[in-house]
Amino acid sequence: MKQALIIFAKNPEVGKVKTRLAASIGNEAALAVYHQLLLHTVSATEYLLVDKFVFYSDYIQQEDIWCNKHYFKELQQGIDLGERMKNAFALIFQKGYDKIAIIGTDCPGLNAEIIMNTFACLQYNDVAIGPAEDGGYYLLAINKLHDELFEGIKWSTDNVFNITISKCDALHLTHYLLPVLNDVDEEKDLQTFKLQRQ
C-alpha cells in the first residue's frame, strides 16, 4: 500500500499567517508563533515512513525548513479550503497512493505516533479524523476520494467536524476518531501551546 501525508502550509509572511491571533498580539508576534508551529510540524513528520507532500498556499519555496530530501512540494489550487483540499487529495490519488492523510501546521499536540496510527486505522475504516477543540479537525485521512466531504461546508467555523461526520454517515463511510487536540488560532490557545513546548 502506498501511503502519503499532505501538509497544508502557508508561506510564512508578516500579515498573512495566524490572522486571528495577530489581531490580539500583532503581526510580528503571530509570525513568530507560526514559525514555531512550522518547526513542530517538521519535527513530527520529517522521518515518517510515508511520502510527504507540502502544499504551499501562495508559492513553492525550494530552500526552506521543508527539506527537499524529505518532502515533495506542490501548490494549493482552489477557491476555498475545501476545494484546495479536494484538489490536493485528487492529485495525490492520481499519483497512485492508496491511503492519504492531510494535516495543517496549527496543532502542537500532533505527533508522529498519531499520524502513523491514522494510516493503520484506514485498514479497517473508510475515514480517520482528528477532532479539534474548536469544532474543526486537525487531520483527515481517506482511502478513496469522496468529493462531498469537501463541499457545502463553511470552513473555519465550529461545526466543520460535526458536518464532516454527518457527511460520512450519509455516504455510509465508517470512520475512526483520533484524539481531540487543540489548534493554535487565537490568543487563548497560546497557553496550551507553551505548556506543550515545555
Side-chain angles (χ1 to χ4, degrees):
M1 300 287 282
K2 291 186 66 179
Q3 302 177 148
L5 176 67
I6 296 170
I7 303 167
F8 262 31
K10 289 187 176 181
N11 296 87
E13 298 180 356
V14 175
K16 292 188 175 182
V17 297
K18 300 279 106 206
T19 52
R20 280 186 284 169
L21 180 61
S24 301
I25 67 172
N27 287 329
E28 294 286 352
L31 180 61
V33 170
Y34 188 64
H35 274 295
Q36 292 300 317
L37 289 166
L38 288 176
L39 289 171
H40 168 76
T41 308
V42 170
S43 174
T45 62
E46 190 168 12
Y47 298 107
L48 293 178
L49 298 178
V50 299
D51 288 344
K52 300 167 288 287
F53 295 82
V54 177
F55 277 74
Y56 293 84
S57 58
D58 297 316
Y59 56 90
I60 294 174
Q61 294 179 258
Q62 292 300 340
E63 302 298 329
D64 60 3
I65 64 170
W66 307 102
C67 174
N68 294 335
K69 178 181 177 182
H70 299 291
Y71 299 93
F72 300 102
K73 299 185 175 184
E74 302 284 351
L75 189 63
Q76 297 175 29
Q77 305 284 347
I79 302 300
D80 64 5
L81 179 59
E83 186 176 355
R84 294 197 301 271
M85 288 196 293
K86 179 176 68 175
N87 289 339
F89 272 109
L91 178 63
I92 304 306
F93 275 122
Q94 288 168 9
K95 293 179 182 289
Y97 291 88
D98 308 295
K99 298 178 182 178
I100 306 173
I102 190 169
I103 62 173
T105 56
D106 302 327
C107 188
L110 184 60
N111 57 40
E113 182 181 0
I114 292 173
I115 296 170
M116 292 312 296
N117 182 50
T118 297
F119 290 105
C121 293
L122 286 182
Q123 288 285 105
Y124 309 102
N125 296 273
D126 301 308
V127 177
I129 186 167
E133 290 182 2
D134 63 4
Y137 57 77
Y138 61 85
L139 184 154
L140 180 72
I142 53 180
N143 47 36
K144 182 180 179 183
L145 183 60
H146 302 278
D147 290 355
E148 295 91 336
L149 295 179
F150 308 99
E151 298 172 349
I153 296 176
K154 188 174 181 181
W155 301 98
S156 299
T157 60
D158 60 6
N159 60 357
V160 169
F161 170 77
N162 288 333
I163 292 174
T164 303
I165 294 299
S166 296
K167 286 177 177 286
C168 288
D169 293 339
L171 294 166
H172 306 291
L173 301 176
T174 58
H175 58 268
Y176 180 88
L177 296 184
L178 299 164
V180 178
L181 297 177
N182 185 50
D183 282 340
V184 175
D185 291 315
E186 300 178 8
E187 188 174 9
K188 63 180 175 59
D189 304 319
L190 287 179
Q191 186 59 38
T192 303
F193 178 39
K194 291 173 182 175
L195 288 173
Q196 288 169 325
R197 290 180 60 202
Q198 291 175 356

